[in-house]
Tab-separated table of all heavy atoms in Angstrom:
chain	number	residue	atom	x	y	z
A	1	MET	N	118.574	81.312	108.833
A	1	MET	CA	117.297	81.809	109.360
A	1	MET	C	116.333	82.060	108.197
A	1	MET	O	116.731	82.514	107.138
A	1	MET	CB	117.525	83.092	110.149
A	1	MET	CG	118.173	82.856	111.516
A	1	MET	SD	118.241	84.341	112.527
A	1	MET	CE	119.757	85.065	111.932
A	2	LYS	N	115.077	81.793	108.461
A	2	LYS	CA	114.038	81.895	107.445
A	2	LYS	C	113.629	83.348	107.221
A	2	LYS	O	113.523	84.136	108.153
A	2	LYS	CB	112.834	81.075	107.902
A	2	LYS	CG	111.756	80.912	106.845
A	2	LYS	CD	110.581	80.128	107.368
A	2	LYS	CE	110.967	78.674	107.548
A	2	LYS	NZ	109.801	77.836	107.885
A	3	LYS	N	113.367	83.699	105.954
A	3	LYS	CA	112.866	85.020	105.592
A	3	LYS	C	111.342	84.990	105.590
A	3	LYS	O	110.730	83.932	105.426
A	3	LYS	CB	113.372	85.410	104.203
A	3	LYS	CG	114.876	85.546	104.133
A	3	LYS	CD	115.311	85.884	102.722
A	3	LYS	CE	116.823	85.944	102.624
A	3	LYS	NZ	117.270	86.238	101.264
A	4	TYR	N	110.749	86.162	105.762
A	4	TYR	CA	109.292	86.296	105.763
A	4	TYR	C	108.891	87.404	104.812
A	4	TYR	O	109.581	88.417	104.704
A	4	TYR	CB	108.786	86.609	107.176
A	4	TYR	CG	108.811	85.391	108.066
A	4	TYR	CD1	110.002	84.938	108.627
A	4	TYR	CD2	107.661	84.672	108.328
A	4	TYR	CE1	110.043	83.803	109.420
A	4	TYR	CE2	107.674	83.541	109.120
A	4	TYR	CZ	108.870	83.106	109.662
A	4	TYR	OH	108.904	81.976	110.439
A	5	VAL	N	107.765	87.202	104.127
A	5	VAL	CA	107.305	88.171	103.138
A	5	VAL	C	105.967	88.773	103.564
A	5	VAL	O	105.095	88.077	104.084
A	5	VAL	CB	107.201	87.521	101.729
A	5	VAL	CG1	106.184	86.397	101.706
A	5	VAL	CG2	106.890	88.556	100.663
A	6	CYS	N	105.825	90.069	103.332
A	6	CYS	CA	104.576	90.769	103.626
A	6	CYS	C	103.528	90.336	102.598
A	6	CYS	O	103.760	90.433	101.391
A	6	CYS	CB	104.792	92.280	103.568
A	6	CYS	SG	103.285	93.241	103.867
A	7	ASN	N	102.380	89.864	103.078
A	7	ASN	CA	101.312	89.417	102.192
A	7	ASN	C	100.640	90.571	101.453
A	7	ASN	O	99.964	90.353	100.465
A	7	ASN	CB	100.248	88.647	102.985
A	7	ASN	CG	100.805	87.404	103.628
A	7	ASN	OD1	101.671	86.734	103.086
A	7	ASN	ND2	100.312	87.085	104.816
A	8	VAL	N	100.831	91.797	101.934
A	8	VAL	CA	100.176	92.956	101.337
A	8	VAL	C	101.034	93.597	100.245
A	8	VAL	O	100.567	93.829	99.138
A	8	VAL	CB	99.813	93.995	102.431
A	8	VAL	CG1	99.231	95.254	101.821
A	8	VAL	CG2	98.850	93.375	103.431
A	9	CYS	N	102.312	93.853	100.558
A	9	CYS	CA	103.139	94.610	99.607
A	9	CYS	C	104.340	93.839	99.059
A	9	CYS	O	104.999	94.299	98.136
A	9	CYS	CB	103.615	95.914	100.236
A	9	CYS	SG	104.907	95.701	101.506
A	10	GLY	N	104.663	92.682	99.646
A	10	GLY	CA	105.776	91.890	99.137
A	10	GLY	C	107.129	92.202	99.750
A	10	GLY	O	108.131	91.610	99.366
A	11	TRP	N	107.183	93.122	100.727
A	11	TRP	CA	108.458	93.438	101.382
A	11	TRP	C	108.952	92.205	102.116
A	11	TRP	O	108.171	91.471	102.726
A	11	TRP	CB	108.263	94.608	102.353
A	11	TRP	CG	109.521	95.137	102.948
A	11	TRP	CD1	110.358	96.065	102.399
A	11	TRP	CD2	110.099	94.779	104.214
A	11	TRP	NE1	111.412	96.302	103.247
A	11	TRP	CE2	111.290	95.520	104.368
A	11	TRP	CE3	109.734	93.903	105.217
A	11	TRP	CZ2	112.097	95.419	105.484
A	11	TRP	CZ3	110.538	93.795	106.329
A	11	TRP	CH2	111.706	94.548	106.463
A	12	ILE	N	110.247	91.949	102.050
A	12	ILE	CA	110.811	90.745	102.661
A	12	ILE	C	111.621	91.100	103.903
A	12	ILE	O	112.510	91.958	103.841
A	12	ILE	CB	111.682	89.981	101.650
A	12	ILE	CG1	110.801	89.480	100.498
A	12	ILE	CG2	112.402	88.810	102.322
A	12	ILE	CD1	111.567	88.887	99.342
A	13	TYR	N	111.283	90.440	105.020
A	13	TYR	CA	112.090	90.561	106.233
A	13	TYR	C	113.178	89.510	106.164
A	13	TYR	O	112.898	88.310	106.123
A	13	TYR	CB	111.258	90.357	107.505
A	13	TYR	CG	112.130	90.408	108.741
A	13	TYR	CD1	112.561	91.625	109.241
A	13	TYR	CD2	112.576	89.253	109.360
A	13	TYR	CE1	113.405	91.694	110.344
A	13	TYR	CE2	113.416	89.302	110.463
A	13	TYR	CZ	113.827	90.525	110.943
A	13	TYR	OH	114.665	90.593	112.033
A	14	ASP	N	114.419	89.974	106.146
A	14	ASP	CA	115.577	89.088	106.126
A	14	ASP	C	116.269	89.217	107.477
A	14	ASP	O	116.797	90.284	107.807
A	14	ASP	CB	116.522	89.505	105.000
A	14	ASP	CG	117.745	88.619	104.872
A	14	ASP	OD1	118.001	87.778	105.768
A	14	ASP	OD2	118.462	88.761	103.866
A	15	PRO	N	116.276	88.151	108.284
A	15	PRO	CA	116.890	88.230	109.614
A	15	PRO	C	118.358	88.643	109.579
A	15	PRO	O	118.838	89.266	110.524
A	15	PRO	CB	116.750	86.813	110.169
A	15	PRO	CG	115.655	86.194	109.387
A	15	PRO	CD	115.682	86.838	108.043
A	16	ALA	N	119.052	88.333	108.513
A	16	ALA	CA	120.459	88.719	108.410
A	16	ALA	C	120.621	90.238	108.345
A	16	ALA	O	121.636	90.779	108.757
A	16	ALA	CB	121.096	88.068	107.182
A	17	VAL	N	119.592	90.916	107.851
A	17	VAL	CA	119.619	92.376	107.707
A	17	VAL	C	118.856	93.050	108.846
A	17	VAL	O	119.247	94.101	109.334
A	17	VAL	CB	119.010	92.790	106.345
A	17	VAL	CG1	118.952	94.297	106.209
A	17	VAL	CG2	119.806	92.176	105.204
A	18	GLY	N	117.742	92.436	109.263
A	18	GLY	CA	116.879	93.042	110.275
A	18	GLY	C	116.130	94.230	109.702
A	18	GLY	O	115.904	94.320	108.500
A	19	ASP	N	115.765	95.165	110.539
A	19	ASP	CA	115.126	96.417	110.137
A	19	ASP	C	115.670	97.509	111.047
A	19	ASP	O	115.004	97.975	111.964
A	19	ASP	CB	113.602	96.304	110.245
A	19	ASP	CG	112.888	97.562	109.781
A	19	ASP	OD1	113.516	98.415	109.117
A	19	ASP	OD2	111.696	97.710	110.104
A	20	PRO	N	116.931	97.895	110.797
A	20	PRO	CA	117.598	98.860	111.696
A	20	PRO	C	116.848	100.178	111.866
A	20	PRO	O	116.887	100.774	112.939
A	20	PRO	CB	118.965	99.089	111.062
A	20	PRO	CG	119.071	98.179	109.903
A	20	PRO	CD	117.769	97.477	109.704
A	21	ASP	N	116.128	100.622	110.830
A	21	ASP	CA	115.375	101.872	110.935
A	21	ASP	C	114.245	101.773	111.954
A	21	ASP	O	113.786	102.778	112.489
A	21	ASP	CB	114.801	102.278	109.574
A	21	ASP	CG	115.892	102.672	108.583
A	21	ASP	OD1	117.017	103.008	109.020
A	21	ASP	OD2	115.609	102.644	107.370
A	22	SER	N	113.808	100.548	112.235
A	22	SER	CA	112.745	100.323	113.217
A	22	SER	C	113.277	99.741	114.526
A	22	SER	O	112.517	99.280	115.373
A	22	SER	CB	111.692	99.370	112.641
A	22	SER	OG	111.071	99.936	111.514
A	23	GLY	N	114.609	99.710	114.673
A	23	GLY	CA	115.216	99.220	115.907
A	23	GLY	C	115.387	97.716	115.980
A	23	GLY	O	115.643	97.182	117.052
A	24	ILE	N	115.240	97.012	114.845
A	24	ILE	CA	115.433	95.564	114.804
A	24	ILE	C	116.834	95.299	114.257
A	24	ILE	O	117.103	95.531	113.077
A	24	ILE	CB	114.370	94.873	113.910
A	24	ILE	CG1	112.948	95.306	114.290
A	24	ILE	CG2	114.535	93.352	113.961
A	24	ILE	CD1	112.519	94.946	115.695
A	25	ALA	N	117.717	94.833	115.115
A	25	ALA	CA	119.123	94.646	114.745
A	25	ALA	C	119.304	93.489	113.763
A	25	ALA	O	118.512	92.532	113.754
A	25	ALA	CB	119.949	94.372	115.992
A	26	ALA	N	120.338	93.587	112.956
A	26	ALA	CA	120.709	92.484	112.068
A	26	ALA	C	120.946	91.238	112.916
A	26	ALA	O	121.500	91.318	114.013
A	26	ALA	CB	121.962	92.846	111.279
A	27	GLY	N	120.499	90.093	112.423
A	27	GLY	CA	120.649	88.847	113.149
A	27	GLY	C	119.468	88.506	114.037
A	27	GLY	O	119.467	87.484	114.711
A	28	THR	N	118.420	89.358	114.033
A	28	THR	CA	117.242	89.106	114.858
A	28	THR	C	116.304	88.137	114.145
A	28	THR	O	115.770	88.460	113.083
A	28	THR	CB	116.482	90.417	115.153
A	28	THR	OG1	117.370	91.334	115.793
A	28	THR	CG2	115.271	90.172	116.043
A	29	PRO	N	116.095	86.941	114.720
A	29	PRO	CA	115.162	86.001	114.088
A	29	PRO	C	113.732	86.516	114.165
A	29	PRO	O	113.387	87.294	115.053
A	29	PRO	CB	115.335	84.709	114.894
A	29	PRO	CG	115.974	85.111	116.163
A	29	PRO	CD	116.693	86.398	115.933
A	30	TRP	N	112.915	86.080	113.230
A	30	TRP	CA	111.519	86.519	113.138
A	30	TRP	C	110.779	86.349	114.461
A	30	TRP	O	109.992	87.199	114.867
A	30	TRP	CB	110.823	85.731	112.032
A	30	TRP	CG	109.404	86.125	111.810
A	30	TRP	CD1	108.298	85.383	112.094
A	30	TRP	CD2	108.927	87.351	111.246
A	30	TRP	NE1	107.160	86.076	111.746
A	30	TRP	CE2	107.526	87.290	111.219
A	30	TRP	CE3	109.548	88.503	110.771
A	30	TRP	CZ2	106.747	88.322	110.733
A	30	TRP	CZ3	108.759	89.528	110.287
A	30	TRP	CH2	107.383	89.440	110.273
A	31	GLU	N	111.046	85.254	115.144
A	31	GLU	CA	110.353	84.974	116.402
A	31	GLU	C	110.639	86.020	117.475
A	31	GLU	O	109.853	86.178	118.403
A	31	GLU	CB	110.749	83.585	116.917
A	31	GLU	CG	110.317	82.440	116.008
A	31	GLU	CD	111.172	82.292	114.748
A	31	GLU	OE1	112.330	82.766	114.721
A	31	GLU	OE2	110.662	81.709	113.778
A	32	GLN	N	111.742	86.742	117.350
A	32	GLN	CA	112.104	87.761	118.338
A	32	GLN	C	111.693	89.178	117.921
A	32	GLN	O	111.865	90.121	118.681
A	32	GLN	CB	113.600	87.707	118.621
A	32	GLN	CG	114.010	86.440	119.335
A	32	GLN	CD	115.504	86.403	119.627
A	32	GLN	OE1	116.231	87.366	119.417
A	32	GLN	NE2	115.962	85.260	120.108
A	33	VAL	N	111.136	89.313	116.710
A	33	VAL	CA	110.623	90.612	116.284
A	33	VAL	C	109.329	90.860	117.062
A	33	VAL	O	108.459	89.989	117.101
A	33	VAL	CB	110.347	90.621	114.757
A	33	VAL	CG1	109.655	91.906	114.336
A	33	VAL	CG2	111.652	90.430	113.983
A	34	PRO	N	109.188	92.010	117.710
A	34	PRO	CA	107.993	92.265	118.531
A	34	PRO	C	106.707	92.218	117.699
A	34	PRO	O	106.703	92.600	116.527
A	34	PRO	CB	108.222	93.687	119.065
A	34	PRO	CG	109.664	93.971	118.869
A	34	PRO	CD	110.133	93.124	117.734
A	35	ASP	N	105.616	91.780	118.317
A	35	ASP	CA	104.328	91.719	117.629
A	35	ASP	C	103.829	93.109	117.240
A	35	ASP	O	102.988	93.239	116.351
A	35	ASP	CB	103.279	91.030	118.511
A	35	ASP	CG	103.554	89.543	118.667
A	35	ASP	OD1	104.241	88.958	117.803
A	35	ASP	OD2	103.090	88.962	119.662
A	36	THR	N	104.354	94.137	117.881
A	36	THR	CA	103.939	95.510	117.593
A	36	THR	C	104.681	96.107	116.394
A	36	THR	O	104.332	97.190	115.930
A	36	THR	CB	104.183	96.407	118.816
A	36	THR	OG1	105.560	96.311	119.192
A	36	THR	CG2	103.299	95.978	119.982
A	37	TRP	N	105.701	95.410	115.906
A	37	TRP	CA	106.464	95.879	114.750
A	37	TRP	C	105.557	95.954	113.534
A	37	TRP	O	104.634	95.159	113.382
A	37	TRP	CB	107.630	94.912	114.500
A	37	TRP	CG	108.423	95.192	113.262
A	37	TRP	CD1	109.432	96.099	113.119
A	37	TRP	CD2	108.288	94.554	111.995
A	37	TRP	NE1	109.923	96.066	111.841
A	37	TRP	CE2	109.230	95.110	111.130
A	37	TRP	CE3	107.440	93.573	111.495
A	37	TRP	CZ2	109.363	94.735	109.809
A	37	TRP	CZ3	107.589	93.186	110.174
A	37	TRP	CH2	108.537	93.759	109.351
A	38	MET	N	105.818	96.915	112.637
A	38	MET	CA	105.018	97.070	111.428
A	38	MET	C	105.914	97.068	110.193
A	38	MET	O	107.061	97.512	110.250
A	38	MET	CB	104.212	98.360	111.489
A	38	MET	CG	103.148	98.330	112.569
A	38	MET	SD	102.075	99.773	112.559
A	38	MET	CE	103.185	101.045	113.110
A	39	CYS	N	105.378	96.573	109.103
A	39	CYS	CA	106.092	96.533	107.831
A	39	CYS	C	106.560	97.949	107.487
A	39	CYS	O	105.753	98.878	107.460
A	39	CYS	CB	105.173	95.996	106.730
A	39	CYS	SG	105.928	96.015	105.085
A	40	PRO	N	107.844	98.128	107.206
A	40	PRO	CA	108.352	99.467	106.910
A	40	PRO	C	107.863	100.012	105.569
A	40	PRO	O	107.909	101.206	105.332
A	40	PRO	CB	109.868	99.298	106.910
A	40	PRO	CG	110.088	97.845	106.670
A	40	PRO	CD	108.905	97.129	107.235
A	41	ALA	N	107.354	99.149	104.702
A	41	ALA	CA	106.899	99.599	103.386
A	41	ALA	C	105.416	99.990	103.375
A	41	ALA	O	105.040	100.971	102.734
A	41	ALA	CB	107.158	98.517	102.347
A	42	CYS	N	104.570	99.207	104.089
A	42	CYS	CA	103.131	99.481	103.994
A	42	CYS	C	102.424	99.629	105.338
A	42	CYS	O	101.257	100.004	105.379
A	42	CYS	CB	102.439	98.416	103.152
A	42	CYS	SG	102.323	96.792	103.927
A	43	GLY	N	103.102	99.298	106.442
A	43	GLY	CA	102.540	99.558	107.768
A	43	GLY	C	101.654	98.484	108.365
A	43	GLY	O	101.097	98.700	109.434
A	44	VAL	N	101.529	97.319	107.703
A	44	VAL	CA	100.723	96.256	108.316
A	44	VAL	C	101.507	95.593	109.436
A	44	VAL	O	102.718	95.718	109.520
A	44	VAL	CB	100.245	95.206	107.286
A	44	VAL	CG1	99.343	95.841	106.245
A	44	VAL	CG2	101.400	94.479	106.647
A	45	THR	N	100.794	94.871	110.291
A	45	THR	CA	101.433	94.232	111.431
A	45	THR	C	102.055	92.884	111.062
A	45	THR	O	101.819	92.335	109.987
A	45	THR	CB	100.415	94.045	112.571
A	45	THR	OG1	99.288	93.337	112.068
A	45	THR	CG2	99.985	95.394	113.127
A	46	LYS	N	102.813	92.363	111.985
A	46	LYS	CA	103.588	91.138	111.802
A	46	LYS	C	102.727	89.936	111.405
A	46	LYS	O	103.186	89.053	110.686
A	46	LYS	CB	104.330	90.856	113.113
A	46	LYS	CG	105.289	89.699	113.071
A	46	LYS	CD	105.991	89.552	114.406
A	46	LYS	CE	106.741	88.242	114.471
A	46	LYS	NZ	107.369	88.025	115.754
A	47	ASP	N	101.476	89.920	111.816
A	47	ASP	CA	100.609	88.786	111.495
A	47	ASP	C	100.211	88.728	110.012
A	47	ASP	O	99.603	87.768	109.572
A	47	ASP	CB	99.358	88.773	112.382
A	47	ASP	CG	98.471	89.982	112.205
A	47	ASP	OD1	98.922	91.009	111.671
A	47	ASP	OD2	97.296	89.891	112.602
A	48	GLN	N	100.590	89.749	109.258
A	48	GLN	CA	100.309	89.774	107.810
A	48	GLN	C	101.502	89.268	106.993
A	48	GLN	O	101.538	89.473	105.781
A	48	GLN	CB	99.952	91.198	107.384
A	48	GLN	CG	98.678	91.723	108.003
A	48	GLN	CD	97.464	90.929	107.556
A	48	GLN	OE1	97.252	90.714	106.362
A	48	GLN	NE2	96.653	90.500	108.497
A	49	PHE	N	102.452	88.604	107.639
A	49	PHE	CA	103.628	88.054	106.962
A	49	PHE	C	103.550	86.535	106.904
A	49	PHE	O	102.956	85.899	107.776
A	49	PHE	CB	104.900	88.464	107.706
A	49	PHE	CG	105.365	89.868	107.409
A	49	PHE	CD1	104.676	90.958	107.867
A	49	PHE	CD2	106.526	90.071	106.679
A	49	PHE	CE1	105.100	92.241	107.603
A	49	PHE	CE2	106.974	91.355	106.400
A	49	PHE	CZ	106.257	92.434	106.863
A	50	SER	N	104.163	85.977	105.873
A	50	SER	CA	104.221	84.518	105.707
A	50	SER	C	105.661	84.100	105.480
A	50	SER	O	106.457	84.859	104.916
A	50	SER	CB	103.398	84.088	104.490
A	50	SER	OG	102.054	84.419	104.652
A	51	PRO	N	106.008	82.865	105.873
A	51	PRO	CA	107.359	82.363	105.610
A	51	PRO	C	107.637	82.350	104.110
A	51	PRO	O	106.743	82.071	103.312
A	51	PRO	CB	107.345	80.944	106.155
A	51	PRO	CG	106.156	80.861	107.044
A	51	PRO	CD	105.179	81.876	106.555
A	52	LEU	N	108.845	82.665	103.744
A	52	LEU	CA	109.234	82.685	102.325
A	52	LEU	C	109.830	81.361	101.931
A	52	LEU	O	110.529	80.741	102.687
A	52	LEU	CB	110.239	83.809	102.093
A	52	LEU	CG	110.538	84.152	100.657
A	52	LEU	CD1	109.282	84.613	99.927
A	52	LEU	CD2	111.565	85.264	100.609
C-alpha cells in the first residue's frame, strides 16, 4: 500500500500503521481514511497530502 505525506509538516501516513490515536486501524488504505480525518501533527485535512 502506498504511503502519503503531509504537504505542510511532512508527517507520513503509513497504511501498515494507520493512525490508531485517531481511530484509523492498521491496514487501512488511504482511500478508506475519512475525508474528515486530520493530520495528527499539524491538523490539516486529507486533501493536503500527496502520494509518497
Side-chain angles (χ1 to χ4, degrees):
M1 286 188 274
K2 189 182 289 188
K3 296 178 183 179
Y4 285 78
V5 62
C6 178
N7 298 325
V8 176
C9 73
W11 188 85
I12 296 172
Y13 177 78
D14 182 350
V17 177
D19 182 15
D21 292 340
S22 297
I24 309 298
T28 303
W30 182 249
E31 296 75 22
Q32 292 181 7
V33 173
D35 290 337
T36 56
W37 174 83
M38 293 186 290
C39 176
C42 71
V44 298
T45 54
K46 186 178 169 183
D47 63 342
Q48 296 296 309
F49 280 71
S50 298
L52 192 61

